[in-house]
Protein backbone atom coordinates (compact mmCIF):
# COMPACT_ATOMS: atom_id res chain seq x y z
CA UNK A 1 0.00 0.00 0.00
CA UNK A 2 1.21 3.45 -0.79
CA UNK A 3 0.66 4.81 2.67
CA UNK A 4 2.47 4.99 5.96
CA UNK A 5 1.19 3.56 9.23
CA UNK A 6 1.65 4.55 12.84
CA UNK A 7 0.94 2.48 15.92
CA UNK A 8 -0.16 4.89 18.66
CA UNK A 9 1.21 3.71 22.00
CA UNK A 10 1.65 6.92 23.94
CA UNK A 11 -1.05 6.51 26.57
CA UNK A 12 -0.24 6.43 30.25
CA UNK A 13 -2.32 3.28 30.92
CA UNK A 14 -3.61 4.56 34.28
CA UNK A 15 -6.69 2.34 34.31
CA UNK A 16 -4.67 -0.69 33.22
CA UNK A 17 -2.13 -0.25 36.01
CA UNK A 18 0.76 -1.22 33.69
CA UNK A 19 1.91 -0.51 30.16
CA UNK A 20 -1.07 -1.47 28.01
CA UNK A 21 1.17 -2.30 25.06
CA UNK A 22 2.69 -5.26 26.92
CA UNK A 23 -0.62 -6.64 28.21
CA UNK A 24 -1.49 -9.97 26.63
CA UNK A 25 -4.50 -10.52 24.39
CA UNK A 26 -5.13 -13.98 23.00
CA UNK A 27 -1.60 -15.08 23.87
CA UNK A 28 0.29 -12.10 22.45
CA UNK A 29 1.25 -8.66 23.68
CA UNK A 30 -1.06 -5.96 22.32
CA UNK A 31 1.84 -4.31 20.51
CA UNK A 32 2.51 -7.57 18.65
CA UNK A 33 -1.15 -8.02 17.71
CA UNK A 34 -1.45 -4.49 16.34
CA UNK A 35 1.94 -4.43 14.64
CA UNK A 36 1.15 -7.75 12.91
CA UNK A 37 -2.11 -6.22 11.67
CA UNK A 38 -0.32 -3.19 10.25
CA UNK A 39 2.30 -5.41 8.60
CA UNK A 40 -0.46 -7.39 6.83
CA UNK A 41 -1.33 -4.16 5.01
CA UNK A 42 2.27 -3.81 3.78
CA UNK A 43 2.52 -0.05 4.25
CA UNK A 44 5.51 1.81 2.81
CA UNK A 45 6.76 2.47 6.36
CA UNK A 46 5.65 1.82 9.93
CA UNK A 47 6.12 4.17 12.85
CA UNK A 48 5.57 3.81 16.57
CA UNK A 49 4.40 6.93 18.37
CA UNK A 50 4.94 7.09 22.12
CA UNK A 51 6.23 9.36 24.85
CA UNK A 52 9.51 7.45 24.94
CA UNK A 53 11.07 4.69 22.86
CA UNK A 54 9.96 1.35 24.36
CA UNK A 55 12.39 -1.54 24.66
CA UNK A 56 9.95 -3.82 22.81
CA UNK A 57 9.99 -1.78 19.58
CA UNK A 58 11.26 -3.88 16.65
CA UNK A 59 14.25 -2.41 14.79
CA UNK A 60 12.33 -2.08 11.51
CA UNK A 61 9.70 0.17 13.12
CA UNK A 62 10.70 3.82 13.35
CA UNK A 63 10.16 5.60 16.66
CA UNK A 64 8.43 8.99 16.62
CA UNK A 65 8.43 10.83 19.92
CA UNK A 66 5.44 12.89 20.98
CA UNK A 67 6.45 16.52 20.99
CA UNK A 68 6.80 17.49 24.66
CA UNK A 69 4.65 18.21 26.43
CA UNK A 70 2.56 15.35 25.10
CA UNK A 71 -1.03 16.23 24.30
CA UNK A 72 -2.21 12.66 23.88
CA UNK A 73 -2.88 11.10 20.48
CA UNK A 74 -3.06 14.53 18.84
CA UNK A 75 0.70 14.85 19.50
CA UNK A 76 1.41 11.39 18.13
CA UNK A 77 -0.53 11.81 14.89
CA UNK A 78 0.87 15.32 14.28
CA UNK A 79 4.47 14.19 14.91
CA UNK A 80 4.08 11.11 12.72
CA UNK A 81 2.69 13.16 9.82
CA UNK A 82 5.96 15.09 9.92
CA UNK A 83 7.94 11.94 9.13
CA UNK A 84 5.93 10.21 6.42
CA UNK A 85 7.21 9.83 2.86
CA UNK A 86 3.77 8.94 1.48
CA UNK A 87 0.59 11.01 1.02
CA UNK A 88 -1.45 9.30 3.76
CA UNK A 89 -0.95 8.01 7.29
CA UNK A 90 -3.01 5.20 8.79
CA UNK A 91 -3.19 5.71 12.56
CA UNK A 92 -4.05 2.72 14.75
CA UNK A 93 -4.33 2.63 18.53
CA UNK A 94 -2.42 -0.01 20.46
CA UNK A 95 -5.55 -0.98 22.44
CA UNK A 96 -7.92 -1.78 19.54
CA UNK A 97 -7.22 -5.50 18.94
CA UNK A 98 -10.62 -6.26 17.39
CA UNK A 99 -9.76 -4.24 14.26
CA UNK A 100 -9.06 -6.36 11.21
CA UNK A 101 -7.17 -6.19 7.92
CA UNK A 102 -10.26 -6.29 5.71
CA UNK A 103 -11.80 -3.24 7.37
CA UNK A 104 -8.53 -1.28 7.28
CA UNK A 105 -8.17 -2.09 3.57
CA UNK A 106 -11.72 -0.84 3.07
CA UNK A 107 -10.73 2.46 4.74
CA UNK A 108 -7.61 2.69 2.58
CA UNK A 109 -9.72 2.31 -0.54
CA UNK A 110 -11.80 5.34 0.50
CA UNK A 111 -8.91 7.82 0.53
CA UNK A 112 -8.38 10.41 -2.17
CA UNK A 113 -5.51 12.80 -2.88
CA UNK A 114 -5.43 15.33 -0.05
CA UNK A 115 -8.32 13.66 1.78
CA UNK A 116 -8.25 10.88 4.36
CA UNK A 117 -11.07 9.05 6.09
CA UNK A 118 -12.57 9.27 9.56
CA UNK A 119 -14.78 6.42 10.77
CA UNK A 120 -17.82 7.60 12.75
CA UNK A 121 -20.02 5.60 15.10
CA UNK A 122 -23.15 7.70 15.38
CA UNK A 123 -21.89 11.20 16.15
CA UNK A 124 -18.58 10.03 17.64
CA UNK A 125 -15.43 10.04 15.53
CA UNK A 126 -12.95 7.18 15.72
CA UNK A 127 -9.70 9.09 15.12
CA UNK A 128 -7.50 6.29 16.45
CA UNK A 129 -8.28 4.06 13.48
CA UNK A 130 -8.35 6.68 10.74
CA UNK A 131 -6.32 7.70 7.72
CA UNK A 132 -4.91 11.22 7.61
CA UNK A 133 -3.63 13.01 4.52
CA UNK A 134 -0.15 14.54 4.74
CA UNK A 135 -1.81 17.95 4.40
CA UNK A 136 -3.49 17.50 7.81
CA UNK A 137 -0.18 18.08 9.61
CA UNK A 138 -0.55 21.87 9.39
CA UNK A 139 -3.98 21.72 11.03
CA UNK A 140 -2.90 19.31 13.79
CA UNK A 141 0.21 21.30 14.64
CA UNK A 142 -1.99 24.41 14.87
CA UNK A 143 -4.33 22.53 17.22
CA UNK A 144 -1.34 21.69 19.45
CA UNK A 145 -0.64 25.38 19.88
CA UNK A 146 -4.20 26.04 21.04
CA UNK A 147 -6.05 25.08 24.20
CA UNK A 148 -8.21 22.19 22.98
CA UNK A 149 -6.11 19.05 22.48
CA UNK A 150 -9.04 16.77 21.73
CA UNK A 151 -8.53 14.68 18.61
CA UNK A 152 -12.33 14.68 18.33
CA UNK A 153 -12.29 18.46 17.90
CA UNK A 154 -9.29 18.42 15.58
CA UNK A 155 -10.78 15.77 13.31
CA UNK A 156 -14.09 17.61 13.11
CA UNK A 157 -12.16 20.66 11.89
CA UNK A 158 -10.39 18.47 9.33
CA UNK A 159 -13.79 17.22 8.12
CA UNK A 160 -15.02 20.81 7.78
CA UNK A 161 -11.84 21.71 5.87
CA UNK A 162 -12.33 18.80 3.46
CA UNK A 163 -9.18 16.98 4.61
CA UNK A 164 -11.13 14.05 6.10
CA UNK A 165 -14.23 12.33 4.81
CA UNK A 166 -16.61 10.69 7.27
CA UNK A 167 -17.20 6.95 6.87
CA UNK A 168 -20.22 5.69 8.85
CA UNK A 169 -19.37 2.56 10.83
CA UNK A 170 -21.59 -0.51 10.84
CA UNK A 171 -18.98 -2.72 12.56
CA UNK A 172 -18.60 -0.95 15.92
CA UNK A 173 -16.99 -4.05 17.50
CA UNK A 174 -13.81 -3.36 15.50
CA UNK A 175 -13.36 -0.16 17.48
CA UNK A 176 -13.72 -1.64 20.96
CA UNK A 177 -10.66 -0.85 23.02
CA UNK A 178 -9.12 -2.43 26.09
CA UNK A 179 -8.48 0.02 28.92
CA UNK A 180 -8.46 -1.98 32.14
CA UNK A 181 -7.71 -5.56 33.20
CA UNK A 182 -11.43 -6.54 33.23
CA UNK A 183 -11.65 -5.71 29.49
CA UNK A 184 -9.33 -8.63 28.74
CA UNK A 185 -11.77 -11.22 30.08
Amino acid sequence: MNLSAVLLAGGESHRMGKDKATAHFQGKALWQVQLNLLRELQPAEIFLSARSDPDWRPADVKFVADEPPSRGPLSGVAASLGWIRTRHLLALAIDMPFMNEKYLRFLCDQTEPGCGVLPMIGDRAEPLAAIYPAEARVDLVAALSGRDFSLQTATQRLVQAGRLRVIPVAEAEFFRNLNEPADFK
Side-chain angles (χ1 to χ4, degrees), residues 75-120:
S75 294
V77 175
S80 298
L81 281 167
W83 287 94
I84 66 172
R85 294 176 300 163
T86 62
R87 300 308 310 156
H88 288 92
L89 175 70
L90 167 63
L92 181 64
I94 194 96
D95 62 356
M96 227 181 258
F98 301 101
M99 185 55 68
N100 69 37
E101 178 188 0
K102 182 179 177 184
Y103 189 78
L104 290 177
R105 284 192 186 279
F106 163 75
L107 291 179
C108 292
D109 290 343
Q110 308 307 307
T111 63
E112 297 174 2
C115 186
V117 294
L118 178 65
M120 294 278 288

Short mmCIF file of all heavy atoms in Angstrom, two decimals, residues 75-120:
data_model
loop_
_atom_site.label_atom_id
_atom_site.label_comp_id
_atom_site.label_asym_id
_atom_site.label_seq_id
_atom_site.Cartn_x
_atom_site.Cartn_y
_atom_site.Cartn_z
N SER A 75 -0.75 14.68 19.64
CA SER A 75 0.70 14.85 19.50
C SER A 75 1.30 13.75 18.65
O SER A 75 2.17 14.01 17.81
CB SER A 75 1.37 14.83 20.89
OG SER A 75 0.99 15.94 21.65
N GLY A 76 0.85 12.52 18.87
CA GLY A 76 1.41 11.39 18.13
C GLY A 76 1.09 11.43 16.65
O GLY A 76 1.96 11.18 15.81
N VAL A 77 -0.14 11.75 16.30
CA VAL A 77 -0.53 11.81 14.89
C VAL A 77 0.19 12.98 14.22
O VAL A 77 0.74 12.84 13.12
CB VAL A 77 -2.06 11.90 14.72
CG1 VAL A 77 -2.42 12.09 13.25
CG2 VAL A 77 -2.74 10.65 15.28
N ALA A 78 0.21 14.14 14.87
CA ALA A 78 0.87 15.32 14.28
C ALA A 78 2.36 15.05 14.06
O ALA A 78 2.90 15.34 12.98
CB ALA A 78 0.68 16.54 15.18
N ALA A 79 3.03 14.49 15.05
CA ALA A 79 4.47 14.19 14.91
C ALA A 79 4.71 13.18 13.81
O ALA A 79 5.63 13.34 12.99
CB ALA A 79 5.02 13.69 16.24
N SER A 80 3.90 12.15 13.73
CA SER A 80 4.08 11.11 12.72
C SER A 80 3.88 11.66 11.31
O SER A 80 4.61 11.28 10.38
CB SER A 80 3.12 9.95 12.97
OG SER A 80 3.39 9.36 14.22
N LEU A 81 2.91 12.55 11.14
CA LEU A 81 2.69 13.16 9.82
C LEU A 81 3.93 13.92 9.34
O LEU A 81 4.14 14.06 8.14
CB LEU A 81 1.47 14.07 9.84
CG LEU A 81 0.12 13.37 9.77
CD1 LEU A 81 -1.02 14.33 10.11
CD2 LEU A 81 -0.10 12.74 8.40
N GLY A 82 4.73 14.38 10.28
CA GLY A 82 5.96 15.09 9.92
C GLY A 82 7.05 14.19 9.38
O GLY A 82 8.04 14.68 8.81
N TRP A 83 6.91 12.89 9.55
CA TRP A 83 7.94 11.94 9.13
C TRP A 83 7.58 11.12 7.89
O TRP A 83 8.45 10.47 7.30
CB TRP A 83 8.25 10.98 10.26
CG TRP A 83 9.03 11.63 11.35
CD1 TRP A 83 8.53 12.22 12.48
CD2 TRP A 83 10.44 11.80 11.41
NE1 TRP A 83 9.55 12.74 13.24
CE2 TRP A 83 10.74 12.48 12.60
CE3 TRP A 83 11.49 11.43 10.57
CZ2 TRP A 83 12.04 12.81 12.97
CZ3 TRP A 83 12.78 11.74 10.95
CH2 TRP A 83 13.03 12.43 12.14
N ILE A 84 6.33 11.12 7.49
CA ILE A 84 5.93 10.21 6.42
C ILE A 84 6.50 10.62 5.06
O ILE A 84 6.70 11.80 4.80
CB ILE A 84 4.39 10.04 6.34
CG1 ILE A 84 3.68 11.34 5.93
CG2 ILE A 84 3.84 9.51 7.65
CD1 ILE A 84 2.19 11.16 5.65
N ARG A 85 6.74 9.61 4.23
CA ARG A 85 7.21 9.83 2.86
C ARG A 85 6.09 9.57 1.85
O ARG A 85 6.30 9.66 0.65
CB ARG A 85 8.38 8.91 2.54
CG ARG A 85 9.62 9.22 3.38
CD ARG A 85 10.72 8.23 3.10
NE ARG A 85 10.22 6.89 3.44
CZ ARG A 85 10.75 5.75 3.06
NH1 ARG A 85 11.81 5.75 2.29
NH2 ARG A 85 10.23 4.60 3.42
N THR A 86 4.91 9.24 2.34
CA THR A 86 3.77 8.94 1.48
C THR A 86 2.76 10.08 1.61
O THR A 86 2.98 11.04 2.36
CB THR A 86 3.11 7.61 1.90
OG1 THR A 86 2.64 7.74 3.25
CG2 THR A 86 4.10 6.45 1.79
N ARG A 87 1.62 9.96 0.98
CA ARG A 87 0.59 11.01 1.02
C ARG A 87 -0.44 10.79 2.11
O ARG A 87 -1.24 11.68 2.39
CB ARG A 87 -0.12 11.11 -0.34
CG ARG A 87 0.77 11.45 -1.51
CD ARG A 87 1.65 12.67 -1.35
NE ARG A 87 0.94 13.85 -0.90
CZ ARG A 87 1.49 14.87 -0.25
NH1 ARG A 87 2.77 14.87 0.01
NH2 ARG A 87 0.77 15.89 0.14
N HIS A 88 -0.47 9.59 2.72
CA HIS A 88 -1.45 9.30 3.76
C HIS A 88 -0.82 8.53 4.90
O HIS A 88 0.15 7.79 4.70
CB HIS A 88 -2.62 8.47 3.19
CG HIS A 88 -3.52 9.25 2.30
ND1 HIS A 88 -3.33 9.31 0.94
CD2 HIS A 88 -4.61 10.00 2.57
CE1 HIS A 88 -4.27 10.07 0.41
NE2 HIS A 88 -5.06 10.50 1.37
N LEU A 89 -1.40 8.70 6.08
CA LEU A 89 -0.95 8.01 7.29
C LEU A 89 -2.14 7.30 7.93
O LEU A 89 -3.12 7.94 8.30
CB LEU A 89 -0.38 9.03 8.30
CG LEU A 89 0.00 8.46 9.67
CD1 LEU A 89 1.24 7.56 9.54
CD2 LEU A 89 0.27 9.59 10.66
N LEU A 90 -2.02 5.99 8.06
CA LEU A 90 -3.01 5.20 8.79
C LEU A 90 -2.59 5.19 10.25
O LEU A 90 -1.49 4.75 10.59
CB LEU A 90 -3.05 3.77 8.25
CG LEU A 90 -3.79 2.74 9.10
CD1 LEU A 90 -5.26 3.08 9.22
CD2 LEU A 90 -3.61 1.35 8.53
N ALA A 91 -3.45 5.71 11.12
CA ALA A 91 -3.19 5.71 12.56
C ALA A 91 -4.02 4.60 13.20
O ALA A 91 -5.21 4.46 12.91
CB ALA A 91 -3.57 7.06 13.16
N LEU A 92 -3.37 3.81 14.06
CA LEU A 92 -4.05 2.72 14.75
C LEU A 92 -3.62 2.69 16.21
O LEU A 92 -2.43 2.68 16.51
CB LEU A 92 -3.73 1.37 14.09
CG LEU A 92 -4.41 0.15 14.70
CD1 LEU A 92 -5.94 0.22 14.53
CD2 LEU A 92 -3.87 -1.13 14.07
N ALA A 93 -4.60 2.67 17.10
CA ALA A 93 -4.33 2.63 18.53
C ALA A 93 -3.85 1.24 18.95
O ALA A 93 -4.29 0.22 18.42
CB ALA A 93 -5.59 2.99 19.31
N ILE A 94 -2.98 1.23 19.92
CA ILE A 94 -2.42 -0.01 20.46
C ILE A 94 -3.49 -0.88 21.12
O ILE A 94 -3.39 -2.09 21.15
CB ILE A 94 -1.28 0.31 21.47
CG1 ILE A 94 -0.46 -0.94 21.77
CG2 ILE A 94 -1.82 0.87 22.77
CD1 ILE A 94 0.76 -1.04 20.95
N ASP A 95 -4.57 -0.25 21.63
CA ASP A 95 -5.55 -0.98 22.44
C ASP A 95 -6.84 -1.33 21.69
O ASP A 95 -7.88 -1.52 22.29
CB ASP A 95 -5.89 -0.17 23.69
CG ASP A 95 -6.52 1.18 23.39
OD1 ASP A 95 -6.66 1.54 22.21
OD2 ASP A 95 -6.88 1.88 24.36
N MET A 96 -6.75 -1.47 20.37
CA MET A 96 -7.92 -1.78 19.54
C MET A 96 -7.72 -3.12 18.81
O MET A 96 -7.72 -3.18 17.59
CB MET A 96 -8.10 -0.66 18.51
CG MET A 96 -9.49 -0.14 18.39
SD MET A 96 -9.55 1.17 17.14
CE MET A 96 -9.57 2.60 18.18
N PRO A 97 -7.58 -4.22 19.56
CA PRO A 97 -7.22 -5.50 18.94
C PRO A 97 -8.33 -6.19 18.15
O PRO A 97 -8.08 -7.24 17.55
CB PRO A 97 -6.80 -6.35 20.13
CG PRO A 97 -7.65 -5.87 21.24
CD PRO A 97 -7.73 -4.37 21.02
N PHE A 98 -9.52 -5.64 18.13
CA PHE A 98 -10.62 -6.26 17.39
C PHE A 98 -10.68 -5.75 15.94
O PHE A 98 -11.47 -6.24 15.14
CB PHE A 98 -11.96 -6.04 18.10
CG PHE A 98 -11.95 -6.62 19.49
CD1 PHE A 98 -11.76 -5.81 20.60
CD2 PHE A 98 -12.10 -7.98 19.68
CE1 PHE A 98 -11.73 -6.34 21.88
CE2 PHE A 98 -12.08 -8.53 20.96
CZ PHE A 98 -11.88 -7.71 22.06
N MET A 99 -9.85 -4.76 15.63
CA MET A 99 -9.76 -4.24 14.26
C MET A 99 -9.22 -5.36 13.38
O MET A 99 -8.49 -6.22 13.85
CB MET A 99 -8.83 -3.03 14.23
CG MET A 99 -8.76 -2.32 12.90
SD MET A 99 -10.34 -1.81 12.22
CE MET A 99 -10.82 -0.52 13.38
N ASN A 100 -9.59 -5.32 12.09
CA ASN A 100 -9.06 -6.36 11.21
C ASN A 100 -8.56 -5.78 9.88
O ASN A 100 -8.84 -4.64 9.52
CB ASN A 100 -10.08 -7.49 10.99
CG ASN A 100 -11.28 -7.07 10.18
OD1 ASN A 100 -11.18 -6.29 9.24
ND2 ASN A 100 -12.43 -7.60 10.52
N GLU A 101 -7.80 -6.60 9.18
CA GLU A 101 -7.17 -6.19 7.92
C GLU A 101 -8.20 -5.80 6.86
O GLU A 101 -8.03 -4.79 6.17
CB GLU A 101 -6.30 -7.33 7.39
CG GLU A 101 -5.65 -7.02 6.06
CD GLU A 101 -4.96 -8.21 5.45
OE1 GLU A 101 -4.97 -9.31 6.03
OE2 GLU A 101 -4.40 -8.03 4.35
N LYS A 102 -9.26 -6.57 6.74
CA LYS A 102 -10.26 -6.29 5.71
C LYS A 102 -10.86 -4.90 5.89
O LYS A 102 -11.02 -4.15 4.93
CB LYS A 102 -11.35 -7.37 5.75
CG LYS A 102 -12.41 -7.20 4.69
CD LYS A 102 -13.44 -8.30 4.75
CE LYS A 102 -14.53 -8.08 3.73
NZ LYS A 102 -15.60 -9.09 3.82
N TYR A 103 -11.19 -4.55 7.13
CA TYR A 103 -11.80 -3.24 7.37
C TYR A 103 -10.79 -2.12 7.11
O TYR A 103 -11.12 -1.09 6.51
CB TYR A 103 -12.36 -3.14 8.79
CG TYR A 103 -13.17 -1.88 8.95
CD1 TYR A 103 -14.47 -1.80 8.45
CD2 TYR A 103 -12.64 -0.76 9.55
CE1 TYR A 103 -15.22 -0.63 8.55
CE2 TYR A 103 -13.37 0.42 9.66
CZ TYR A 103 -14.65 0.47 9.16
OH TYR A 103 -15.38 1.62 9.25
N LEU A 104 -9.54 -2.31 7.53
CA LEU A 104 -8.53 -1.28 7.28
C LEU A 104 -8.29 -1.11 5.78
O LEU A 104 -8.10 0.01 5.30
CB LEU A 104 -7.23 -1.60 8.01
CG LEU A 104 -7.30 -1.48 9.54
CD1 LEU A 104 -5.97 -1.88 10.17
CD2 LEU A 104 -7.69 -0.08 9.98
N ARG A 105 -8.31 -2.20 5.03
CA ARG A 105 -8.17 -2.09 3.57
C ARG A 105 -9.36 -1.32 2.97
O ARG A 105 -9.18 -0.52 2.05
CB ARG A 105 -8.05 -3.47 2.93
CG ARG A 105 -6.70 -4.09 3.12
CD ARG A 105 -6.49 -5.32 2.25
NE ARG A 105 -5.22 -5.93 2.59
CZ ARG A 105 -4.04 -5.53 2.16
NH1 ARG A 105 -3.98 -4.50 1.35
NH2 ARG A 105 -2.94 -6.15 2.51
N PHE A 106 -10.54 -1.58 3.51
CA PHE A 106 -11.72 -0.84 3.07
C PHE A 106 -11.50 0.67 3.29
O PHE A 106 -11.76 1.49 2.40
CB PHE A 106 -12.97 -1.31 3.83
CG PHE A 106 -14.12 -0.36 3.75
CD1 PHE A 106 -14.88 -0.24 2.59
CD2 PHE A 106 -14.44 0.45 4.84
CE1 PHE A 106 -15.94 0.66 2.51
CE2 PHE A 106 -15.49 1.35 4.78
CZ PHE A 106 -16.25 1.45 3.61
N LEU A 107 -11.00 1.04 4.47
CA LEU A 107 -10.73 2.46 4.74
C LEU A 107 -9.70 3.01 3.76
O LEU A 107 -9.87 4.12 3.23
CB LEU A 107 -10.25 2.65 6.17
CG LEU A 107 -11.27 2.43 7.28
CD1 LEU A 107 -10.61 2.65 8.65
CD2 LEU A 107 -12.49 3.31 7.12
N CYS A 108 -8.65 2.24 3.51
CA CYS A 108 -7.61 2.69 2.58
C CYS A 108 -8.18 2.96 1.20
O CYS A 108 -7.79 3.93 0.54
CB CYS A 108 -6.50 1.65 2.49
SG CYS A 108 -5.54 1.48 4.01
N ASP A 109 -9.11 2.14 0.78
CA ASP A 109 -9.72 2.31 -0.54
C ASP A 109 -10.59 3.56 -0.63
O ASP A 109 -10.94 3.97 -1.74
CB ASP A 109 -10.57 1.08 -0.89
CG ASP A 109 -9.73 -0.15 -1.17
OD1 ASP A 109 -8.50 -0.01 -1.40
OD2 ASP A 109 -10.28 -1.27 -1.13
N GLN A 110 -10.93 4.15 0.49
CA GLN A 110 -11.80 5.34 0.50
C GLN A 110 -11.03 6.65 0.45
O GLN A 110 -11.62 7.72 0.36
CB GLN A 110 -12.69 5.35 1.76
CG GLN A 110 -13.49 4.07 2.00
CD GLN A 110 -14.31 3.65 0.81
OE1 GLN A 110 -15.09 4.43 0.27
NE2 GLN A 110 -14.12 2.42 0.37
N THR A 111 -9.70 6.58 0.53
CA THR A 111 -8.91 7.82 0.53
C THR A 111 -8.83 8.40 -0.88
O THR A 111 -9.00 7.70 -1.88
CB THR A 111 -7.48 7.57 1.06
OG1 THR A 111 -6.81 6.67 0.19
CG2 THR A 111 -7.51 7.04 2.48
N GLU A 112 -8.57 9.68 -0.93
CA GLU A 112 -8.38 10.41 -2.17
C GLU A 112 -7.20 11.35 -1.98
O GLU A 112 -6.83 11.64 -0.84
CB GLU A 112 -9.64 11.23 -2.50
CG GLU A 112 -10.86 10.38 -2.74
CD GLU A 112 -12.13 11.21 -2.91
OE1 GLU A 112 -12.04 12.45 -2.88
OE2 GLU A 112 -13.19 10.60 -3.07
N PRO A 113 -6.60 11.85 -3.05
CA PRO A 113 -5.51 12.80 -2.88
C PRO A 113 -5.93 13.98 -1.99
O PRO A 113 -6.97 14.59 -2.23
CB PRO A 113 -5.21 13.26 -4.31
CG PRO A 113 -5.64 12.10 -5.16
CD PRO A 113 -6.86 11.55 -4.47
N GLY A 114 -5.15 14.22 -0.95
CA GLY A 114 -5.43 15.33 -0.05
C GLY A 114 -6.56 15.11 0.93
O GLY A 114 -6.88 15.99 1.72
N CYS A 115 -7.17 13.93 0.90
CA CYS A 115 -8.32 13.66 1.78
C CYS A 115 -8.22 12.25 2.36
O CYS A 115 -8.13 11.27 1.62
CB CYS A 115 -9.62 13.82 1.01
SG CYS A 115 -11.10 13.69 2.05
N GLY A 116 -8.25 12.17 3.67
CA GLY A 116 -8.25 10.88 4.36
C GLY A 116 -9.65 10.50 4.76
O GLY A 116 -10.63 11.08 4.28
N VAL A 117 -9.75 9.52 5.66
CA VAL A 117 -11.07 9.05 6.09
C VAL A 117 -11.13 8.97 7.61
O VAL A 117 -10.15 8.65 8.28
CB VAL A 117 -11.43 7.69 5.46
CG1 VAL A 117 -11.61 7.80 3.98
CG2 VAL A 117 -10.40 6.63 5.79
N LEU A 118 -12.31 9.26 8.13
CA LEU A 118 -12.57 9.27 9.56
C LEU A 118 -13.79 8.41 9.84
O LEU A 118 -14.92 8.82 9.53
CB LEU A 118 -12.81 10.71 10.04
CG LEU A 118 -13.16 10.88 11.51
CD1 LEU A 118 -11.97 10.47 12.40
CD2 LEU A 118 -13.56 12.32 11.78
N PRO A 119 -13.61 7.23 10.40
CA PRO A 119 -14.78 6.42 10.77
C PRO A 119 -15.60 7.12 11.86
O PRO A 119 -15.03 7.78 12.74
CB PRO A 119 -14.17 5.12 11.31
CG PRO A 119 -12.78 5.08 10.74
CD PRO A 119 -12.36 6.51 10.65
N MET A 120 -16.92 7.00 11.76
CA MET A 120 -17.82 7.60 12.75
C MET A 120 -18.82 6.55 13.21
O MET A 120 -19.44 5.88 12.38
CB MET A 120 -18.59 8.77 12.14
CG MET A 120 -17.77 9.96 11.75
SD MET A 120 -17.37 11.06 13.10
CE MET A 120 -18.93 11.83 13.44
#
